[in-house]
Structures are given as C-alpha cells and as structure tokens.
Amino acid sequence: MKKIVTLLAAFLFTIAVYAEERPITFGELPQNAKKFVLTYFKDVPVEGVYMERRASLTQYELKMAEGLELQFDRTGICTEIQKKKGAIPDVVIPKKILDVVKANFPKSVICKYEHNGRMYEVELDNDVVLTFSNSFRLVDVDK
C-alpha cells in the first residue's frame, strides 16, 4: 500500500512539474500574438490570458468576451480560434477554406478553426468538421 501511495505521489508531482498553466498579462504574450489580437479582435475585451507549459511545449490561451477563445504557440502563431456562439470573423480564415465552406455549406458558419502545422480543421455551427491539407485541399468531412 505504501508503495502505491509513493508511486501516485511521484506521478502527481511529475504532472505538476511538466504541466503548468498560469495567468499572465496581455503584455507578456509573444509579439505575434499581441499583433494578431490587436489586428483582428481589438474591440473584444480580454477576460483572461494564460501560459501553459508542458515538458517541451509552451502555448498561450486568451479567453475573451462573446465566448471567444484564442490559442497561440510559443512564437505567437495562432493555432486555434473558437467561438461558443456565432461565427469566427472570415478575415482570420484562409480564403481557400472559406471558399469551400461557402460553396458547400452556404447556410453554415465557422465556429472553430485549428491549424497544427500539418492540417487545418474547421468546425461549422451544424457540427460538421472539415479537414484540409496544408495546401488547402479538402481531405475529410465528418458529419
């Protein structure tokens, strides 16, 4: 029993060391992230800014008014945008992705956008998820 408790404590300590999320100020964001927010979301109030560190990964998350959440990598490149209700502004979505969405789902709006460096993924307000290659070729539709 003592061995199990010791192993559990070591495991929890490891998680705490390798996964830390802490609040930071807007000014502590990487320059690219600040520029992105001020360019596309300057009129949306920021409710919280967080930095998360896990082993070799650092990322930043902004929680904003209107149910808007933004995520950035360690260099300040936007990797995810999500809006709880309503559409993400078209201006932040690559044009080729917008063209596919408007042609095939004209009554839907994009409420989530992700780019992981290899693929793009957008979720529509009707729960359809579209996956695109880095060259913006539609590779999957999940309904």
Side-chain angles (χ1 to χ4, degrees):
M1 181 68 172
K2 187 175 181 180
K3 202 180 250 187
I4 292 173
V5 171
T6 303
L7 286 173
L8 183 59
F11 176 73
L12 293 174
F13 176 76
T14 302
I15 290 174
V17 167
Y18 289 105
E20 174 193 4
E21 180 177 291
R22 66 179 178 88
I24 62 171
T25 66
F26 184 81
E28 293 176 89
L29 287 172
Q31 189 62 36
N32 289 333
K34 290 187 282 192
K35 183 178 178 183
F36 184 88
V37 173
L38 294 173
T39 299
Y40 300 113
F41 301 102
K42 68 179 176 192
D43 295 328
V44 182
V46 174
E47 296 177 346
V49 183
Y50 305 90
M51 180 179 69
E52 181 180 352
R53 284 197 173 140
R54 282 184 271 149
S56 64
L57 174 72
T58 299
Q59 62 185 23
Y60 300 89
E61 183 176 348
L62 273 78
K63 294 185 186 284
M64 304 179 77
E66 303 172 11
L68 184 65
E69 294 181 9
L70 307 174
Q71 205 168 72
F72 299 91
D73 68 12
R74 65 180 171 75
T75 65
I77 302 299
C78 185
T79 58
E80 184 175 331
I81 305 169
Q82 183 172 355
K83 191 160 185 189
K84 302 272 189 235
K85 292 189 179 197
I88 293 170
D90 287 353
V91 69
V92 297
I93 306 295
K95 183 179 179 337
K96 290 182 179 182
I97 292 175
L98 276 177
D99 291 346
V100 170
V101 171
K102 288 181 180 185
N104 296 289
F105 302 92
K107 295 181 181 178
S108 295
V109 296
I110 298 172
C111 56
K112 185 174 181 180
Y113 162 86
E114 287 184 73
H115 182 237
N116 67 8
R118 296 182 310 272
M119 305 288 273
Y120 292 89
E121 190 171 276
V122 294
E123 184 175 333
L124 308 180
D125 59 341
N126 61 0
D127 294 326
V128 171
V129 177
L130 307 173
T131 304
F132 295 83
S133 69
N134 250 355
S135 60
F136 305 108
R137 186 176 57 83
L138 182 62
V139 295
D140 189 39
V141 178
D142 188 12
K143 296 182 179 185

